[in-house]
């Protein structure tokens, strides 16, 4: 038991050091924060004031409907950051230097995870504040609001692992962006993130209704007490969005995390 405790402390200490190393890159290159600060803010202002006056949401206003979708979209595209960062480290050979040091082997992956979750926390703060500025409000009580943020962090956690899996699988950092757009772009825009799924044509509507992004967005809106544009006969994921969203988070993380760890071991084997 003592040996196990010492090992856990060792891995945690090394992971924090590498997380700090990744965050130090932000101090040296502040532009790295653009995708978690100005980009989400731009999306909020763009959709709120360009589309807010022409899209009707039953049971509420578009500004309150919008923010849940923007939050989830930002977290979904957040897979690019860890994917690009870890692919860059693997390409530049920094991992070989780390392996020559007396440090935990898993600290490299866990350090990236910690740094990315810190960046995501900043993005969620920026989005929440900008949402309040354009008219978004939390209409539910405190426990439900905290549950909504906990769900968003769970989704972010799963997307970071997916991003790291992509970064460890592709051969160049540039390829991460292409793969991320190929996966995330249709999932976020063919969903209920920006418009009610019921208004989409057949084929796209069914895809949107069973889309993991739609489930997380619907669950976020329900927990925040925001309008969700209900339909007469919603499919199971939109009828039970919180359960469906948690299930998707578990599936994505449960598949991505072991595969990412396995891929990392394969690429760093002696």
């Amino acid at each position: 038991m003592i040996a196990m405790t010492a090992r856990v402390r060792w891995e945690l200490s090394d992971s924090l050091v590498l997380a700090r190393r990744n965050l130090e890159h932000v101090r040296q290159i502040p532009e790295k924060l653009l995708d978690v600060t100005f980009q989400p803010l731009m999306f909020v202002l763009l959709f709120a004031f360009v589309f807010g006056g022409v899209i009707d949401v039953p049971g509420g206003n578009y500004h309150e409907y919008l923010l849940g979708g923007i939050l989830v979209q930002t977290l979904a595209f957040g897979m690019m950051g860890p994917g690009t960062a870890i692919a860059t480290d693997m390409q530049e050979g920094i991992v070989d230097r780390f392996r020559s040091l007396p440090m935990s082997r898993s600290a490299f992956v866990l350090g990236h995870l910690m740094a990315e979750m810190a960046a995501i926390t900043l993005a969620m703060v920026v989005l929440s504040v900008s949402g309040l500025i354009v008219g978004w409000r939390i209409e539910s009580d405190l426990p439900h609001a905290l549950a909504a943020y906990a769900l968003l962090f769970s989704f972010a956690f799963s997307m970071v692992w997916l991003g790291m899996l992509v970064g460890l699988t592709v051969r160049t950092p540039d390829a991460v962006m292409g793969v991320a757009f190929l996966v995330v772009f249709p999932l976020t825009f063919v969903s209920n993130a920006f418009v009610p799924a019921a208004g989409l044509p057949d084929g796209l509507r069914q895809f949107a209704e069973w889309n993991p992004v739609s489930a997380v967005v619907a669950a976020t809106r329900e927990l925040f007490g925001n309008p969700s544009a209900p339909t007469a006969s919603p499919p199971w994921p939109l009828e039970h969005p919180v359960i469906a969203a948690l299930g998707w988070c578990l599936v994505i993380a449960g598949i991505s995390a072991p595969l990412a760890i396995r891929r990392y071991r394969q690429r760093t084997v002696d």
Side-chain angles (χ1 to χ4, degrees), residues 72 151 155 187 191-193 207-223 236-249:
V72 176
L151 175 63
F155 181 66
L187 288 178
S191 70
N192 62 357
F207 178 83
E209 290 174 341
W210 291 87
N211 184 336
V213 169
S214 292
V216 180
V217 170
T220 302
R221 289 175 179 148
E222 179 177 300
L223 292 171
W236 189 90
L238 299 185
E239 189 176 5
H240 308 279
V242 176
I243 298 175
L246 289 174
W248 276 115
C249 291

Side-chain angles (χ1 to χ4, degrees), residues 43-193:
F43 271 111
V44 171
L45 297 177
L46 176 66
F47 279 90
F49 293 107
V50 174
F51 300 116
V54 297
I55 297 179
D56 181 46
V57 177
N61 66 73
Y62 185 69
H63 289 185
E64 290 195 340
Y65 178 86
L66 170 68
L67 197 81
I70 293 289
L71 278 165
V72 176
Q73 182 212 39
T74 301
L75 300 181
F77 275 103
M79 67 176 287
M80 290 185 185
T84 303
I86 207 165
T88 301
D89 282 346
M90 298 299 293
Q91 186 182 54
E92 292 179 348
I94 190 68
V95 180
D96 293 330
R97 300 181 188 178
F98 290 152
R99 292 175 62 204
S100 67
L101 300 174
M103 59 178 287
S104 170
R105 187 176 181 182
S106 61
F108 174 74
V109 175
L110 294 179
H112 274 284
L113 177 65
M114 292 177 180
E116 293 301 329
M117 292 304 294
I120 283 169
T121 301
L122 175 61
M124 292 178 63
V125 171
V126 171
L127 281 171
S128 298
V129 172
S130 59
L132 292 172
I133 293 173
V134 301
W136 170 72
R137 296 293 182 269
I138 297 176
E139 305 294 348
S140 61
D141 54 22
L142 181 60
H144 282 85
L146 293 177
Y149 281 112
L151 175 63
L152 290 170
F153 273 108
S154 299
F155 181 66
F157 180 82
S158 65
M159 294 306 296
V160 169
W161 274 113
L162 180 59
M164 290 195 294
L165 173 60
V166 173
L168 289 165
T169 302
V170 300
R171 289 182 290 180
T172 65
D174 293 337
V176 174
M177 184 172 294
V179 173
F181 265 101
L182 185 65
V183 174
V184 178
F185 193 86
L187 288 178
T188 54
F189 283 93
V190 187
S191 70
N192 62 357

